């Protein structure tokens, strides 16, 4: 037993420093094993660990005892018991969740994700595949290509794994029959080509007996390819490919240790960056340059894809979590409508039209899915019509987001895979469960147009859409003159006529926007300035805006008039004499002012500067409020367009 | 464009470091009240070091939480206080008041000692401060049920882990959404192996408890384990006399429950060498995992880290 248990490489004992240096520079291969249940995935991984002498003496002893107690291999070692970690799995003899195993040889380090074979646990298989460089697809030589073989091959390819091994397992149980092996390889090749897999490495193995795993099998002299271990150790890894792409860094978190420092942290998804490089912040599009790459051990001259970095920028631009810092001259795309492949992973089926949280890189937005365009039959690759997607279904659907999203296509036509900016998950807003994974194909043209032409939606276009001219009706007059009463009636009349309007008065402005302002002259000026700015934005949006403020000073009313294009500001003087207003005293304010309880009251101890040439003057002594409103609306609507 | 410099190949330690820093930052960005569970062991040392790098030049924006059993080695308390001061982080120490009142100890109470001080103590502390995300230093290569746990591991309001409803965790996208009262355990060093931990400690010169290095220490041999007599609370059985042996520890926990190994390794490369030449698994030294296969999964379901 001891010769099969863990043993350190000889160099460990003879020269530990050399060994550590060598180990530190080994490359890392992350791979998955997948295939149908009972094809022997866990056994294969157990065998890989065993053959690379990763099993300690005590573990081996426990394994031998467990094998006899609950194993499925009679008195022999059941390697699957090494990896099936959860009690439920060991009892049922199946693998329900992805298990990560670590081993290394003299040439490489490995992280292997052992993924479940049962269809109901496809989401766990996809979890394992999403970070893998290579997939070992296992096939039981007695059974050949099964539904799950196709399904897992399709998923592995879909998720971007381009290095595939077809491990035809349990060769010992078919007497190492070459013809049967080649039939299986041929059948797989035919299937693979239909889903875009043009290259894979077939190997005849027995995980149980160890054939062609770590050493070449005597039973398959006709096989000239590499053993599984040889292939895993030598398959080329293009670890620097991501660095050749344009720079992308989703911002995770902003460091603000003091007022002078703002550091933008994130993992670099693609490309490389150096101080002085011009960058663009998406989705805003603002540009700046990188000032520093800050680390605990001093600033760096360069950072590359795969590193977690902290950048400072030369200018004070808005940038926060969810933004993506990109190379200035090759920005990523920004859109709010996409076509995507959806892998549904929840028991509750997809609800088209419902809002889900969409997480892509560090962005979280609300997203709605349309009904699928089609569902993929994973056995036949046929496109089936579908109204929804259920657990483990894969389909293609359009989706829209409530805000623009910075993205890249998951699989670009040139073969580039953008996992970080092309892959997303959908989260149920009520249960918080991750219900789907998605791979973006492309932005829908409609969204792209709307986004990039946003600047062309003019204030005239806004107004034209509402079949009206934007106007600002500025009601001015003493307290109690009737401004709000008449303005209200005007707005009701406009609504009845199908116009789009909004009334700004003391009630909806003083409590919110201007709650910080009092009644000193300075505050009154600022009050009017803010109301003017808000009213101007609303006229930009094409609305007919009504304001009802005393606005006693000519200068402020003229200031607002100057903010707007000529002809849009209409001064409406509600001309009620002081004695009449004071006699009405609806709110009892004049009495208070006369009693000295209210300072700066217009008309009492603060002046009212009546308009010299108002567009409309309303005499409230001769007219009822209704008549006044009618007159104002008439005047407004006969104004030349 | 200027000439393109040659690509930089990141070592696997650099990749692991980047991945861990990414995870730490995600939690800080998404959780309301994160905390780092700090056990003072070598894995905690690495995790704390990664946190300091992740948020530099700011200090890590969360406190350290030590769920104390009052039975840790004295050297561990010393390093704990030193690292908290050096990192500029708040150190919260929680001791289960019930365990304290009942005098629960490893000599008289066996498994209850771990249950009350650690499992229950952790739950109490998380509830008391309302932490919604707790970083832990567990690694997937340690134990079979940990090999299956997600990086962001969801806990119910009663701190239970349900291995059958783990959320799919794709790419580097972590779903941190949760309801009020629910929380996450987050394992930033999930993908590190024990050798990675040691090599990183060496490469980054990270301070660790001196007990990891061999030195003459007073010990007794009991039930097949070498136990260190760290203070006068250690109850000697009749006939037991502490003997100075050159020992070190592969893992650190409560001193009366943690087995030492006889060793001459006084430097990191020697420690690593000894580890690599050992033919038994790492956690052999800790009594907690001995009872039966699947015991760790049970403890985790109950809320043990």
């Amino acid at each position: 037993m001891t010769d099969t248990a863990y043993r350190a490489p000889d160099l460990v004992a003879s020269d530990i420093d050399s060994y550590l240096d060598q180990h530190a520079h080994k490359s890392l291969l992350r791979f998955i094993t997948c295939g149908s249940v009972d094809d022997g995935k866990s056994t294969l991984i157990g065998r890989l660990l065993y053959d690379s002498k990763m099993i300690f003496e005590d573990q081996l002893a426990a394994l031998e005892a467990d094998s006899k107690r609950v194993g499925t291999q009679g008195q022999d070692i059941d390697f699957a018991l090494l990896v099936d970690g959860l009690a439920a799995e060991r009892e049922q003899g199946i693998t329900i969740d992805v298990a990560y195993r670590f081993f290394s040889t003299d040439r490489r380090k490995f992280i292997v994700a052992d993924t479940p074979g049962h269809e109901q646990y496809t989401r766990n298989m996809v979890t394992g595949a999403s970070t893998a460089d290579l997939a070992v697809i296992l096939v039981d030589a007695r059974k050949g290509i099964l539904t799950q073989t196709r399904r897992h091959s399709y998923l592995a390819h879909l998720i971007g794994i381009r290095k595939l091994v077809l491990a035809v397992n349990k060769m010992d149980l078919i007497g190492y029959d070459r013809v049967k092996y080649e039939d299986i390889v041929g059948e797989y090749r035919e299937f693979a080509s239909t889903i875009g897999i043009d290259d894979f490495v077939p190997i005849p193995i027995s995980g149980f007996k160890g054939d062609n795993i770590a050493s070449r099998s005597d039973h398959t002299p006709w096989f000239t390819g590499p053993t599984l271990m040889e292939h895993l150790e030598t398959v080329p890894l293009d670890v620097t490919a991501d660095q050749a792409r344009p720079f992308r860094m989703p911002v995770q978190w902003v460091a603000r240790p003091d007022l002078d420092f703002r550091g933008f942290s994130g993992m670099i998804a693609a490309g490389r960056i150096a101080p002085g490089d011009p960058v663009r912040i998406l989705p805003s599009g603002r540009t700046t340059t990188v000032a520093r790459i800050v680390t605990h051990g001093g600033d760096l001259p360069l950072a590359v894809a795969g590193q977690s970095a902290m950048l400072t920028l030369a200018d004070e631009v808005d940038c926060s979590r969810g933004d993506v810092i990109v190379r200035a001259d090759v920005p990523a795309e920004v859109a709010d409508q996409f076509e995507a492949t959806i892998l549904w992973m929840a028991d509750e089926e997809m609800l088209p039209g419902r809002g889900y949280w969409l997480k892509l890189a560090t962005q979280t937005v609300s997203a709605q899915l349309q009904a699928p365009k089609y569902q993929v039959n994973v056995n036949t690759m046929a496109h089936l019509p579908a109204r929804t997607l259920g657990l483990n279904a894969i389909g293609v659907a359009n989706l829209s987001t409530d805000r623009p999203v910075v993205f890249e296509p998951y699989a670009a036509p040139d073969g580039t895979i953008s996992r970080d900016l092309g892959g997303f998950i959908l989260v149920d807003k009520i249960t918080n469960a991750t219900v789907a994974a998605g791979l973006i194909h492309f932005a829908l043209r409609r969204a792209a147009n709307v986004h990039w032409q946003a600047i062309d939606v003019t204030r005239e276009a806004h107004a034209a859409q509402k079949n009206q001219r934007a106007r600002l009706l500025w009601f001015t007059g003493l307290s109690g003159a009737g401004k709000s009463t008449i303005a209200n009636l005007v707005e009701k009349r406009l609504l009845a006529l199908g116009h789009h309007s909004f009334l700004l008065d003391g009630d909806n402005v003083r409590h919110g926007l201007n709650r910080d302002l009092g009644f000193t002259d300075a505050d009154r000026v600022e009050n009017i300035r803010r109301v003017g700015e808000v009213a101007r934005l609303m006229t930009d949006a094409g609305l007919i805006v009504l304001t009802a403020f005393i606005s006693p000073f000519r200068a402020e009313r003229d200031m607002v008039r100057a903010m707007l294009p000529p002809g849009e500001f209409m001064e409406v003087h509600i001309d009620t004499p002081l004695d009449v207003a004071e006699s009405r005293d609806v709110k009892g304010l004049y009495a208070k002012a006369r009693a000295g309880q209210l300072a700066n009251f217009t008309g009492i101890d603060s002046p009212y500067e009546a308009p010299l040439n108002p567009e409309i003057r309303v005499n409230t002594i001769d007219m009822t409020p209704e008549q006044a409103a009618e007159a104002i609306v008439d005047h407004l609507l006969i104004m030349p367009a | 464009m200027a000439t393109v410099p040659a690509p930089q190949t990141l070592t696997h330690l650099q990749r692991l470091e980047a991945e861990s820093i990414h995870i730490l930052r995600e939690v800080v960005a998404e959780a309301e009240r994160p905390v780092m569970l700090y056990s003072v062991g070598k894995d905690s040392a690495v995790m704390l070091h990664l946190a300091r790098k992740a948020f530099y030049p700011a200090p890590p924006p969360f406190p350290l939480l030590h769920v104390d059993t009052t039975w840790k080695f004295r050297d561990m308390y010393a390093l704990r206080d030193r690292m908290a001061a050096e990192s500029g982080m708040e150190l919260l120490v929680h001791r289960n008041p019930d365990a304290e009142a009942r005098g629960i100890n490893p000599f008289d109470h066996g498994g209850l000692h771990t249950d009350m001080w650690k499992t229950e103590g952790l739950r109490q502390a998380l509830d008391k401060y309302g932490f919604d995300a707790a970083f832990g230093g567990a690694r997937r290569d340690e134990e079979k049920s940990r090999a299956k746990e997600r990086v962001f591991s969801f806990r119910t309001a009663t701190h239970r882990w349900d291995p059958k409803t783990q959320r799919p965790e794709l790419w580097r996208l972590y779903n941190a959404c949760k309801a009020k009262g629910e929380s996450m355990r987050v394992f930033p060093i999930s993908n590190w192996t024990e050798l990675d931990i040691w090599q990183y400690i060496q490469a980054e010169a990270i301070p660790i408890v001196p007990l990891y290095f061999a030195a003459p220490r007073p010990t007794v041999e009991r039930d097949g384990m070498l136990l260190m007599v760290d203070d006068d609370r250690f109850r000697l059985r009749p006939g037991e006399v502490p003997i100075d042996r050159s020992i070190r520890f592969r893992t650190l926990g409560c001193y009366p429950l943690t087995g030492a190994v006889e060793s001459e390794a006084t430097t990191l490369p020697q420690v690593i060498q000894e580890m690599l030449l050992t033919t038994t698994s790492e956690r052999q030294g800790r009594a907690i995992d001995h009872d039966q296969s699947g015991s760790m999964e049970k403890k985790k379901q109950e809320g043990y880290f």
Side-chain angles (χ1 to χ4, degrees):
Chain A
M1 178 184 96
T2 43
D3 61 329
T4 53
Y6 168 80
R7 206 189 70 228
D10 295 339
L11 196 56
V12 169
S14 61
D15 185 355
I16 184 67
D17 292 328
S18 300
Y19 173 80
L20 291 177
D21 185 59
Q22 193 189 78
H23 184 79
H25 292 94
K26 284 176 193 169
S27 55
L28 171 67
L29 176 77
R30 297 183 72 134
F31 69 100
I32 56 168
T33 54
C34 49
S36 196
V37 65
D38 288 335
D39 281 352
K41 293 177 300 298
S42 298
T43 302
L44 175 65
I45 291 177
R47 166 63 74 173
L48 284 169
L49 298 175
Y50 181 81
D51 281 358
S52 5
K53 303 220 182 294
M54 301 301 288
I55 314 298
F56 294 104
E57 279 173 9
D58 55 308
Q59 291 173 323
L60 208 52
L63 174 67
E64 285 173 352
D66 282 0
S67 294
K68 290 187 179 126
R69 196 161 50 85
V70 292
T72 57
Q73 303 293 339
Q75 291 300 300
D76 290 320
I77 292 180
D78 185 352
F79 292 106
L81 294 177
L82 279 173
V83 284
D84 284 343
L86 302 177
E89 295 177 346
R90 304 183 71 167
E91 281 153 24
Q92 297 170 33
I94 55 159
T95 309
I96 62 172
D97 213 330
V98 53
Y100 296 90
R101 295 286 152 192
F102 304 78
F103 66 101
S104 58
T105 64
D106 289 346
R107 301 164 94 160
R108 233 173 217 173
K109 275 177 56 104
F110 299 94
I111 300 179
V112 51
D114 179 19
T115 64
H118 282 262
E119 181 175 346
Q120 69 197 100
Y121 301 118
T122 297
R123 58 187 176 208
N124 297 329
M125 181 266 165
V126 173
T127 292
S130 70
T131 51
D133 308 305
L134 177 147
V136 177
I137 311 273
L138 272 146
V139 174
D140 183 334
R142 296 169 303 172
K143 298 180 190 159
I145 311 297
L146 301 175
T147 304
Q148 285 298 86
T149 321
R150 295 193 188 91
R151 180 176 192 86
H152 285 171
S153 301
Y154 174 71
L155 286 168
H157 184 75
L158 188 68
I159 214 90
I161 298 175
R162 295 294 177 262
K163 297 175 173 58
L164 287 181
V165 173
L166 180 72
V168 180
N169 193 20
K170 307 193 185 182
M171 286 297 290
D172 54 316
L173 298 182
I174 60 160
Y176 302 97
D177 186 329
R178 179 181 186 174
V179 175
K180 278 190 186 163
Y181 166 76
E182 283 174 355
D183 283 350
I184 291 170
V185 174
E187 190 191 342
Y188 187 78
R189 178 164 286 122
E190 208 168 293
F191 156 75
S193 66
T194 65
I195 58 169
I197 298 174
D198 32 50
D199 197 22
F200 64 92
V201 174
I203 305 175
I205 63 161
S206 166
F208 178 50
K209 299 283 186 195
D211 296 286
N212 291 326
I213 307 286
S215 56
R216 191 157 288 280
S217 170
D218 295 336
H219 300 291
T220 56
W222 41 266
F223 177 65
T224 54
T227 65
L228 180 59
M229 193 69 99
E230 269 168 19
H231 182 66
L232 295 175
E233 283 186 316
T234 56
V235 60
L237 290 173
D238 197 357
V239 291
T240 56
D242 285 347
Q243 294 179 32
R245 294 160 49 201
F247 177 74
R248 305 296 180 237
M249 189 185 91
V251 175
Q252 274 191 291
W253 181 78
V254 182
R256 284 190 217 86
D258 57 61
L259 289 174
D260 300 324
F261 187 94
R262 280 211 309 159
F264 302 96
S265 70
M267 186 181 256
I268 301 175
R272 42 208 294 135
I273 196 78
D277 284 353
V279 290
R280 190 180 293 270
I281 316 297
L282 292 179
S284 75
R286 276 179 285 267
T287 55
T288 179
T289 55
V290 170
R292 297 169 56 199
I293 305 168
V294 179
T295 80
H296 189 256
D299 284 9
L300 296 180
L302 180 75
V304 300
Q307 281 181 307
S308 281
M310 171 93 69
L311 308 180
T312 66
L313 302 174
D315 305 292
E316 279 204 17
V317 290
D318 268 354
C319 185
S320 55
R321 177 172 171 84
D323 289 342
V324 184
I325 304 179
V326 301
R327 198 170 107 181
D329 58 344
V330 195
E333 289 183 69
V334 179
D336 59 7
Q337 292 189 45
F338 311 91
E339 183 189 278
T341 293
I342 306 290
L343 295 78
W344 199 257
M345 305 191 294
D347 294 329
E348 309 76 42
E349 62 186 24
M350 156 185 163
L351 275 178
R354 173 191 271 194
Y356 295 97
W357 295 122
L358 180 150
K359 274 202 81 172
L360 186 154
T362 59
Q363 307 168 83
T364 303
V365 299
S366 187
Q368 290 188 321
L369 290 155
Q370 290 178 13
K373 294 178 174 178
Y374 57 84
Q375 180 177 339
V376 178
N377 177 323
V378 184
N379 293 318
T380 62
M381 296 305 125
H383 294 177
L384 310 173
R387 279 197 294 212
T388 180
L389 296 175
L391 179 65
N392 296 319
I394 299 163
V396 169
N398 286 347
L399 66 155
S400 59
T401 57
D402 66 340
R403 278 186 290 132
V405 170
V406 184
F407 78 100
E408 285 183 318
Y410 191 85
D414 68 359
T416 305
I417 304 290
S418 298
R419 289 180 163 97
D420 287 335
L421 284 169
F424 62 85
I425 56 170
L426 296 176
V427 176
D428 186 294
K429 289 183 175 180
I430 296 161
T431 66
N432 297 315
T434 303
V435 293
L439 316 171
I440 293 183
H441 298 178
F442 46 75
L444 300 178
R445 195 176 294 146
R446 190 154 49 109
N449 284 347
V450 168
H451 180 69
W452 293 114
Q453 295 178 3
I455 199 142
D456 295 327
V457 180
T458 58
R459 57 198 318 280
E460 284 75 21
H462 281 300
Q465 180 201 34
K466 300 172 183 69
N467 296 313
Q468 64 190 26
R469 290 290 306 267
R471 285 283 182 275
L472 170 53
L473 294 178
W474 191 277
F475 290 74
T476 173
L478 293 167
S479 176
K483 301 181 295 297
S484 289
T485 308
I486 297 170
N488 260 308
L489 291 168
V490 169
E491 201 183 20
K492 282 183 188 166
R493 182 85 190 115
L494 287 173
L495 183 75
L497 292 169
H499 289 287
H500 300 261
S501 65
F502 194 75
L503 172 61
L504 291 166
D505 62 14
D507 283 340
N508 58 16
V509 171
R510 278 281 178 193
H511 296 306
L513 178 65
N514 291 350
R515 71 198 304 171
D516 55 332
L517 299 179
F519 291 88
T520 63
D521 286 358
D523 280 359
R524 281 167 181 255
V525 171
E526 174 62 9
N527 184 40
I528 296 308
R529 190 194 67 79
R530 290 187 197 173
V531 170
E533 288 290 352
V534 172
R536 187 183 63 83
L537 289 173
M538 289 181 162
T539 58
D540 281 350
L543 296 176
I544 296 169
V545 185
L546 303 86
T547 65
F549 297 91
I550 298 171
S551 46
F553 306 117
R554 227 168 262 141
E556 277 67 65
R557 297 194 300 266
D558 288 345
M559 170 182 75
V560 177
R561 183 188 291 272
M563 288 176 192
L564 293 157
E568 280 195 11
F569 181 86
M570 297 176 65
E571 202 168 19
V572 183
H573 184 199
I574 306 299
D575 192 1
T576 306
L578 179 63
D579 55 342
V580 177
E582 187 171 0
S583 68
R584 291 179 188 159
D585 203 7
V586 191
K587 299 174 188 164
L589 297 174
Y590 283 93
K592 275 191 182 173
R594 290 285 182 200
Q597 293 164 10
L598 211 56
N600 301 320
F601 197 75
T602 302
I604 308 299
D605 57 354
S606 183
Y608 178 76
E609 300 169 2
L612 300 176
N613 279 305
E615 272 72 16
I616 303 171
R617 174 173 278 127
V618 174
N619 182 333
T620 61
I621 297 173
D622 298 331
M623 288 170 118
T624 65
E626 285 76 13
Q627 287 169 325
E630 202 66 37
I632 293 167
V633 171
D634 286 348
H635 189 91
L636 177 71
L637 299 182
I638 59 161
M639 288 274 296
Chain B
M1 288 292 295
T3 51
V4 180
Q8 288 195 337
T9 305
L10 303 177
T11 65
H12 64 256
L13 275 183
Q14 286 174 311
R15 286 182 183 275
L16 287 170
E17 178 189 73
E19 178 184 83
S20 300
I21 288 175
H22 177 256
I23 292 163
L24 287 157
R25 289 170 173 170
E26 277 302 289
V27 172
V28 163
E30 299 241 321
E32 281 169 35
R33 207 159 150 61
V35 67
M36 178 170 282
L37 296 186
Y38 181 61
S39 72
V40 210
K42 64 184 194 307
D43 298 327
S44 275
V46 165
M47 185 166 64
L48 172 58
H49 185 78
L50 289 164
R52 295 174 72 183
K53 291 186 93 165
F55 302 102
Y56 178 87
F62 43 78
L64 295 171
L65 173 63
H66 183 221
V67 179
D68 189 17
T69 64
T70 72
W71 288 95
K72 301 294 176 189
F73 292 91
R74 283 174 300 167
D75 278 352
M76 294 174 73
Y77 293 114
L79 184 74
R80 178 194 73 184
D81 295 344
R82 183 188 134 199
M83 292 314 295
E86 262 183 35
S87 63
M89 296 165 75
E90 186 187 1
L91 172 68
L92 304 170
V93 176
H94 180 80
R95 297 186 196 93
N96 182 350
D98 304 334
E100 213 156 18
R102 290 170 57 185
I104 300 297
N105 67 75
F107 297 105
D108 299 321
H109 301 103
L112 190 63
H113 171 76
T114 303
D115 277 353
M116 285 197 71
W117 283 111
K118 292 182 80 174
T119 309
E120 207 178 296
L122 173 62
R123 283 202 299 250
Q124 285 172 349
L126 295 179
D127 288 343
K128 174 178 167 188
Y129 296 102
F131 294 121
D132 63 340
F135 293 111
R139 291 180 281 112
R140 284 172 172 160
D141 83 329
E142 280 178 275
E143 199 269 336
K144 271 185 281 197
S145 78
R146 282 190 172 157
K148 302 216 165 187
E149 190 157 9
R150 300 283 189 258
V151 173
F152 276 50
S153 188
F154 190 73
R155 293 292 190 280
T156 64
T158 54
H159 300 286
R160 285 188 73 88
W161 179 57
D162 182 356
K164 286 193 177 167
T165 59
Q166 295 202 92
R167 293 172 177 174
E169 195 166 83
L170 287 91
W171 306 294
R172 293 173 191 142
L173 276 179
Y174 302 105
N175 174 5
C177 299
K178 58 197 171 334
K180 200 93 190 141
E182 294 169 342
S183 61
M184 317 285 289
R185 305 282 200 275
V186 182
F187 306 106
I189 56 170
S190 284
N191 288 327
W192 295 56
T193 63
E194 190 184 13
L195 183 54
D196 294 329
I197 294 287
W198 284 120
Q199 286 206 281
Y200 191 69
I201 287 171
Q202 187 180 22
E204 301 275 309
I206 300 169
I208 53 170
V209 182
L211 296 162
Y212 285 114
F213 300 104
R217 296 185 172 102
T219 56
V220 295
E221 203 174 339
R222 181 184 289 180
D223 305 331
M225 286 208 292
L226 268 183
L227 299 177
M228 176 174 161
V229 183
D230 194 47
D231 61 35
D232 52 18
R233 290 180 298 170
F234 193 97
R235 288 191 215 152
L236 294 169
R237 290 178 186 166
E240 277 182 348
V241 179
I243 298 170
D244 268 9
R245 292 183 174 92
S246 179
I247 55 153
R248 64 178 191 88
F249 292 86
R250 304 188 67 180
T251 62
L252 293 174
C254 293
Y255 83 79
L257 294 175
T258 309
V261 290
E262 290 200 75
S263 167
E264 302 297 330
T266 55
T267 66
L268 267 174
Q270 286 170 358
V271 167
I272 299 172
Q273 185 178 38
E274 232 179 60
M275 177 198 83
L276 290 173
L277 293 173
T278 306
T279 52
T280 56
S281 60
E282 175 191 4
R283 298 178 69 89
Q284 198 76 323
R286 225 186 275 184
I288 178 173
D289 291 339
H290 270 187
D291 27 20
Q292 67 187 94
S293 287
S295 68
M296 183 61 86
E297 186 189 347
K298 265 183 218 155
K299 288 196 168 61
K300 277 159 60 118
Q301 286 187 5
E302 288 155 11
Y304 179 72
F305 219 78

